[in-house]
Amino acid sequence: KPVIRLNGNIDLRSGDGTISSPYVIEDESTLFGSYVKLGNDMWLVYNVNGDNVKLILDNYLIVDGIELEIKYSTSNYYHNDTVKNSLAYYLNNDYFNSLSYKDVILNDSWSNYYYSDEIGYNYSDVINTKIDTKVSVISIGDVIFNDNSLDKFYTNTGVNSTDNLIYTINGNGTTSRRRVNYPSYVVPTISINKNILTKGTGSIDAPYEMG
């Protein structure tokens, strides 16, 4: 897990350091780390790029009251939402069409590559190799929020270019390697325009919402 060090003389804009009111040291309009409620689902902002914000679900994907376990694909790490019997297809068809707020979800670019000694364990290669889709999952190299309650959920980062292994995130913040055809938990990611969020403060008790 990355660690950063802040200057002790930074001015605090707001907050009291609790989970419902964290310290804010920069413009609140950046939204990073904020909670967003869409329909009945709670999301977290993990990436901000202009008006587009990427969200990660603040829980496993739950279907009919059960935490979904599904295989990633039948072959490799590549996220292809046109291939049936893959996680990419499920997320962008069955799951997407079940959402009451699907009309606000944007088609966006998502990192989708492999991370190993083949590329010198270079995060920039992982982050900068993109695919376009509406619903994806987190990538190695992205900011990952995890309060230790979520364990063994998919990334879309492969272990190398040829085999059928993919990284999953463990509850203790480490990664594991799992075969793509072995079912695992799913924590989806989506992208929306931040300007639709007109209510709330971004805390867990008062998440941003659509007006």
Side-chain angles (χ1 to χ4, degrees):
K1 289 189 174 182
V3 176
I4 61 174
R5 192 174 186 176
L6 302 178
N7 188 313
N9 295 320
I10 289 175
D11 291 331
L12 298 177
R13 291 181 178 268
S14 62
D16 59 15
T18 63
I19 191 169
S20 60
S21 182
Y23 290 126
V24 176
I25 61 174
E26 59 182 18
D27 187 347
E28 294 178 6
S29 64
T30 60
L31 300 180
F32 179 78
S34 298
Y35 286 89
V36 174
K37 187 176 182 182
L38 299 173
N40 294 319
D41 300 324
M42 191 73 80
W43 301 79
L44 270 167
V45 178
Y46 76 94
N47 181 283
V48 181
N49 183 17
D51 285 344
N52 289 8
V53 292
K54 288 185 176 179
L55 312 176
I56 183 167
L57 193 65
D58 190 36
N59 201 351
Y60 294 126
L61 178 54
I62 296 175
V63 178
D64 296 329
I66 299 173
E67 295 165 348
L68 180 69
E69 290 185 87
I70 189 173
K71 65 184 179 183
Y72 185 88
S73 74
T74 59
S75 55
N76 57 34
Y77 69 89
Y78 188 65
H79 176 108
N80 188 336
D81 57 24
T82 66
V83 175
K84 293 185 177 181
N85 298 318
S86 71
L87 176 62
Y89 185 89
Y90 175 83
L91 290 176
N92 286 276
N93 290 274
D94 301 68
Y95 176 63
F96 176 79
N97 289 320
S98 73
L99 299 175
S100 62
Y101 48 89
K102 66 180 181 180
D103 291 342
V104 304
I105 296 176
L106 305 174
N107 194 75
D108 210 334
S109 295
W110 308 85
S111 301
N112 183 217
Y113 203 49
Y114 58 91
Y115 178 67
S116 69
D117 56 2
E118 284 186 53
I119 61 170
Y121 290 103
N122 189 338
Y123 274 123
S124 63
D125 287 349
V126 179
I127 293 171
N128 294 324
T129 305
K130 308 280 191 177
I131 49 92
D132 290 331
T133 193
K134 287 190 174 181
V135 189
S136 187
V137 292
I138 207 80
S139 171
I140 294 292
D142 285 326
V143 174
I144 298 173
F145 299 102
N146 193 3
D147 61 2
N148 296 328
S149 62
L150 303 182
D151 187 43
K152 291 183 173 58
F153 63 91
Y154 278 125
T155 71
N156 61 2
T157 305
V159 173
N160 60 47
S161 60
T162 56
D163 68 22
N164 64 350
L165 293 175
I166 200 163
Y167 288 101
T168 57
I169 303 297
N170 299 324
N172 60 4
T174 60
T175 61
S176 293
R177 302 178 179 192
R178 179 164 292 205
R179 296 193 184 280
V180 294
N181 60 355
Y182 189 89
S184 194
Y185 297 114
V186 181
V187 183
T189 57
I190 59 173
S191 178
I192 63 172
N193 187 302
K194 69 179 183 182
N195 295 313
I196 69 172
L197 303 175
T198 58
K199 298 166 55 179
T201 63
S203 69
I204 193 169
D205 294 325
Y208 288 116
E209 297 184 66
M210 293 185 288

Short mmCIF file of all heavy atoms in Angstrom, two decimals, residues 61-64 68 70 81 83-100 102 105 135 188:
data_model
loop_
_atom_site.label_atom_id
_atom_site.label_comp_id
_atom_site.label_asym_id
_atom_site.label_seq_id
_atom_site.Cartn_x
_atom_site.Cartn_y
_atom_site.Cartn_z
N LEU A 61 -20.41 -7.12 -5.49
CA LEU A 61 -21.63 -7.17 -6.30
C LEU A 61 -22.53 -8.27 -5.73
O LEU A 61 -22.13 -9.43 -5.62
CB LEU A 61 -21.27 -7.46 -7.76
CG LEU A 61 -22.44 -7.58 -8.73
CD1 LEU A 61 -23.34 -6.36 -8.67
CD2 LEU A 61 -21.92 -7.79 -10.14
N ILE A 62 -23.74 -7.88 -5.34
CA ILE A 62 -24.69 -8.81 -4.72
C ILE A 62 -25.87 -9.01 -5.67
O ILE A 62 -26.46 -8.04 -6.15
CB ILE A 62 -25.17 -8.27 -3.37
CG1 ILE A 62 -23.98 -8.19 -2.40
CG2 ILE A 62 -26.27 -9.15 -2.79
CD1 ILE A 62 -24.32 -7.56 -1.07
N VAL A 63 -26.18 -10.25 -5.97
CA VAL A 63 -27.28 -10.60 -6.86
C VAL A 63 -28.24 -11.51 -6.11
O VAL A 63 -27.84 -12.56 -5.58
CB VAL A 63 -26.77 -11.30 -8.14
CG1 VAL A 63 -27.94 -11.69 -9.04
CG2 VAL A 63 -25.80 -10.40 -8.89
N ASP A 64 -29.50 -11.09 -6.03
CA ASP A 64 -30.54 -11.86 -5.32
C ASP A 64 -30.11 -12.16 -3.88
O ASP A 64 -30.33 -13.27 -3.36
CB ASP A 64 -30.85 -13.17 -6.06
CG ASP A 64 -31.45 -12.91 -7.43
OD1 ASP A 64 -32.14 -11.89 -7.60
OD2 ASP A 64 -31.21 -13.73 -8.35
N LEU A 68 -22.01 -12.29 -5.46
CA LEU A 68 -21.75 -12.98 -6.72
C LEU A 68 -20.32 -13.48 -6.80
O LEU A 68 -19.38 -12.75 -6.52
CB LEU A 68 -22.02 -12.03 -7.89
CG LEU A 68 -21.80 -12.62 -9.29
CD1 LEU A 68 -22.87 -13.67 -9.60
CD2 LEU A 68 -21.81 -11.52 -10.33
N ILE A 70 -18.09 -15.34 -9.80
CA ILE A 70 -18.18 -15.62 -11.23
C ILE A 70 -16.78 -15.74 -11.81
O ILE A 70 -15.83 -15.15 -11.28
CB ILE A 70 -18.98 -14.50 -11.94
CG1 ILE A 70 -19.30 -14.84 -13.39
CG2 ILE A 70 -18.26 -13.16 -11.82
CD1 ILE A 70 -20.23 -13.82 -14.06
N ASP A 81 -16.11 -7.06 -23.70
CA ASP A 81 -17.52 -7.13 -23.33
C ASP A 81 -18.42 -7.69 -24.42
O ASP A 81 -19.64 -7.69 -24.28
CB ASP A 81 -18.03 -5.77 -22.86
CG ASP A 81 -17.83 -4.67 -23.89
OD1 ASP A 81 -17.73 -4.98 -25.09
OD2 ASP A 81 -17.76 -3.49 -23.48
N VAL A 83 -17.67 -10.86 -25.59
CA VAL A 83 -17.48 -12.32 -25.46
C VAL A 83 -18.37 -12.86 -24.35
O VAL A 83 -18.21 -12.50 -23.18
CB VAL A 83 -16.01 -12.65 -25.17
CG1 VAL A 83 -15.85 -14.15 -24.92
CG2 VAL A 83 -15.13 -12.21 -26.32
N LYS A 84 -19.32 -13.71 -24.72
CA LYS A 84 -20.22 -14.29 -23.73
C LYS A 84 -19.45 -15.19 -22.77
O LYS A 84 -18.35 -15.65 -23.06
CB LYS A 84 -21.34 -15.06 -24.42
CG LYS A 84 -22.29 -14.16 -25.20
CD LYS A 84 -23.46 -14.93 -25.78
CE LYS A 84 -24.43 -14.00 -26.49
NZ LYS A 84 -25.59 -14.74 -27.05
N ASN A 85 -20.05 -15.47 -21.63
CA ASN A 85 -19.43 -16.29 -20.58
C ASN A 85 -18.17 -15.65 -20.01
O ASN A 85 -17.26 -16.34 -19.55
CB ASN A 85 -19.12 -17.70 -21.09
CG ASN A 85 -20.36 -18.44 -21.53
OD1 ASN A 85 -21.38 -18.39 -20.86
ND2 ASN A 85 -20.28 -19.12 -22.66
N SER A 86 -18.11 -14.31 -20.05
CA SER A 86 -17.01 -13.59 -19.43
C SER A 86 -17.58 -12.57 -18.45
O SER A 86 -18.74 -12.15 -18.56
CB SER A 86 -16.15 -12.87 -20.47
OG SER A 86 -16.85 -11.76 -21.04
N LEU A 87 -16.76 -12.16 -17.50
CA LEU A 87 -17.18 -11.14 -16.55
C LEU A 87 -17.49 -9.83 -17.28
O LEU A 87 -18.47 -9.15 -16.95
CB LEU A 87 -16.09 -10.91 -15.50
CG LEU A 87 -16.37 -9.79 -14.50
CD1 LEU A 87 -17.61 -10.08 -13.67
CD2 LEU A 87 -15.15 -9.59 -13.59
N ALA A 88 -16.68 -9.47 -18.25
CA ALA A 88 -16.90 -8.22 -18.99
C ALA A 88 -18.27 -8.21 -19.65
O ALA A 88 -18.97 -7.19 -19.63
CB ALA A 88 -15.80 -8.05 -20.04
N TYR A 89 -18.66 -9.32 -20.25
CA TYR A 89 -19.96 -9.40 -20.90
C TYR A 89 -21.08 -9.30 -19.86
O TYR A 89 -22.06 -8.57 -20.06
CB TYR A 89 -20.09 -10.72 -21.66
CG TYR A 89 -21.37 -10.83 -22.47
CD1 TYR A 89 -21.42 -10.36 -23.78
CD2 TYR A 89 -22.53 -11.37 -21.91
CE1 TYR A 89 -22.58 -10.44 -24.52
CE2 TYR A 89 -23.70 -11.45 -22.64
CZ TYR A 89 -23.74 -10.99 -23.95
OH TYR A 89 -24.90 -11.06 -24.67
N TYR A 90 -20.93 -10.00 -18.75
CA TYR A 90 -21.96 -9.97 -17.71
C TYR A 90 -22.14 -8.54 -17.18
O TYR A 90 -23.26 -8.06 -17.04
CB TYR A 90 -21.58 -10.91 -16.56
CG TYR A 90 -22.54 -10.81 -15.40
CD1 TYR A 90 -23.73 -11.52 -15.40
CD2 TYR A 90 -22.26 -9.97 -14.32
CE1 TYR A 90 -24.63 -11.41 -14.35
CE2 TYR A 90 -23.15 -9.86 -13.26
CZ TYR A 90 -24.33 -10.57 -13.29
OH TYR A 90 -25.22 -10.44 -12.25
N LEU A 91 -21.03 -7.87 -16.87
CA LEU A 91 -21.11 -6.53 -16.29
C LEU A 91 -21.76 -5.53 -17.24
O LEU A 91 -22.49 -4.64 -16.82
CB LEU A 91 -19.72 -6.04 -15.90
CG LEU A 91 -19.07 -6.73 -14.71
CD1 LEU A 91 -17.65 -6.20 -14.50
CD2 LEU A 91 -19.90 -6.56 -13.44
N ASN A 92 -21.49 -5.67 -18.53
CA ASN A 92 -21.97 -4.68 -19.50
C ASN A 92 -23.28 -5.07 -20.17
O ASN A 92 -23.77 -4.35 -21.04
CB ASN A 92 -20.89 -4.43 -20.56
CG ASN A 92 -19.75 -3.61 -20.02
OD1 ASN A 92 -19.81 -2.39 -19.99
ND2 ASN A 92 -18.71 -4.28 -19.54
N ASN A 93 -23.85 -6.17 -19.74
CA ASN A 93 -25.15 -6.58 -20.25
C ASN A 93 -26.11 -6.85 -19.08
O ASN A 93 -26.91 -5.99 -18.75
CB ASN A 93 -25.00 -7.80 -21.15
CG ASN A 93 -24.30 -7.46 -22.46
OD1 ASN A 93 -24.93 -7.04 -23.42
ND2 ASN A 93 -22.98 -7.61 -22.51
N ASP A 94 -26.04 -7.99 -18.46
CA ASP A 94 -26.96 -8.33 -17.37
C ASP A 94 -26.93 -7.31 -16.25
O ASP A 94 -27.98 -6.79 -15.83
CB ASP A 94 -26.62 -9.72 -16.81
CG ASP A 94 -26.70 -10.81 -17.86
OD1 ASP A 94 -25.87 -10.79 -18.77
OD2 ASP A 94 -27.59 -11.68 -17.76
N TYR A 95 -25.73 -7.03 -15.74
CA TYR A 95 -25.62 -6.10 -14.61
C TYR A 95 -25.99 -4.67 -15.03
O TYR A 95 -26.82 -4.02 -14.38
CB TYR A 95 -24.19 -6.12 -14.06
CG TYR A 95 -23.95 -5.11 -12.97
CD1 TYR A 95 -24.64 -5.18 -11.76
CD2 TYR A 95 -23.03 -4.08 -13.14
CE1 TYR A 95 -24.42 -4.24 -10.76
CE2 TYR A 95 -22.81 -3.14 -12.15
CZ TYR A 95 -23.51 -3.23 -10.96
OH TYR A 95 -23.29 -2.29 -9.98
N PHE A 96 -25.42 -4.19 -16.12
CA PHE A 96 -25.69 -2.83 -16.59
C PHE A 96 -27.18 -2.61 -16.79
O PHE A 96 -27.74 -1.59 -16.36
CB PHE A 96 -24.93 -2.57 -17.89
CG PHE A 96 -25.20 -1.24 -18.50
CD1 PHE A 96 -24.60 -0.08 -18.01
CD2 PHE A 96 -26.06 -1.11 -19.59
CE1 PHE A 96 -24.87 1.16 -18.57
CE2 PHE A 96 -26.33 0.11 -20.15
CZ PHE A 96 -25.73 1.26 -19.64
N ASN A 97 -27.84 -3.54 -17.44
CA ASN A 97 -29.27 -3.37 -17.74
C ASN A 97 -30.17 -3.49 -16.51
O ASN A 97 -31.34 -3.11 -16.56
CB ASN A 97 -29.70 -4.39 -18.80
CG ASN A 97 -29.15 -4.05 -20.17
OD1 ASN A 97 -29.10 -2.90 -20.57
ND2 ASN A 97 -28.69 -5.07 -20.89
N SER A 98 -29.61 -3.98 -15.40
CA SER A 98 -30.40 -4.08 -14.17
C SER A 98 -30.38 -2.79 -13.36
O SER A 98 -31.13 -2.64 -12.41
CB SER A 98 -29.85 -5.22 -13.29
OG SER A 98 -28.61 -4.86 -12.69
N LEU A 99 -29.51 -1.84 -13.75
CA LEU A 99 -29.33 -0.62 -12.97
C LEU A 99 -30.36 0.44 -13.34
O LEU A 99 -30.53 0.77 -14.51
CB LEU A 99 -27.92 -0.06 -13.19
CG LEU A 99 -26.77 -0.97 -12.76
CD1 LEU A 99 -25.43 -0.36 -13.15
CD2 LEU A 99 -26.83 -1.25 -11.26
N SER A 100 -31.00 1.02 -12.34
CA SER A 100 -32.00 2.07 -12.58
C SER A 100 -31.35 3.35 -13.08
O SER A 100 -32.03 4.20 -13.66
CB SER A 100 -32.78 2.35 -11.29
OG SER A 100 -31.91 2.82 -10.27
N LYS A 102 -28.63 3.44 -15.23
CA LYS A 102 -27.70 3.09 -16.31
C LYS A 102 -27.52 4.22 -17.32
O LYS A 102 -26.46 4.31 -17.97
CB LYS A 102 -28.16 1.81 -17.01
CG LYS A 102 -29.47 1.94 -17.77
CD LYS A 102 -29.83 0.61 -18.44
CE LYS A 102 -31.12 0.72 -19.24
NZ LYS A 102 -31.47 -0.57 -19.88
N ILE A 105 -24.35 6.35 -16.81
CA ILE A 105 -23.05 5.71 -16.87
C ILE A 105 -22.41 5.96 -18.23
O ILE A 105 -23.03 5.75 -19.28
CB ILE A 105 -23.17 4.20 -16.60
CG1 ILE A 105 -23.68 3.97 -15.17
CG2 ILE A 105 -21.82 3.49 -16.80
CD1 ILE A 105 -23.93 2.52 -14.83
N VAL A 135 -18.72 -0.72 -17.91
CA VAL A 135 -18.53 -1.28 -16.57
C VAL A 135 -17.29 -2.16 -16.58
O VAL A 135 -17.13 -3.01 -17.45
CB VAL A 135 -19.75 -2.11 -16.12
CG1 VAL A 135 -19.60 -2.49 -14.64
CG2 VAL A 135 -21.06 -1.35 -16.33
N PRO A 188 -17.51 -3.87 -9.01
CA PRO A 188 -17.54 -3.16 -10.30
C PRO A 188 -17.03 -1.72 -10.19
O PRO A 188 -17.01 -1.11 -9.11
CB PRO A 188 -19.02 -3.17 -10.68
CG PRO A 188 -19.67 -4.16 -9.79
CD PRO A 188 -18.86 -4.19 -8.54
#
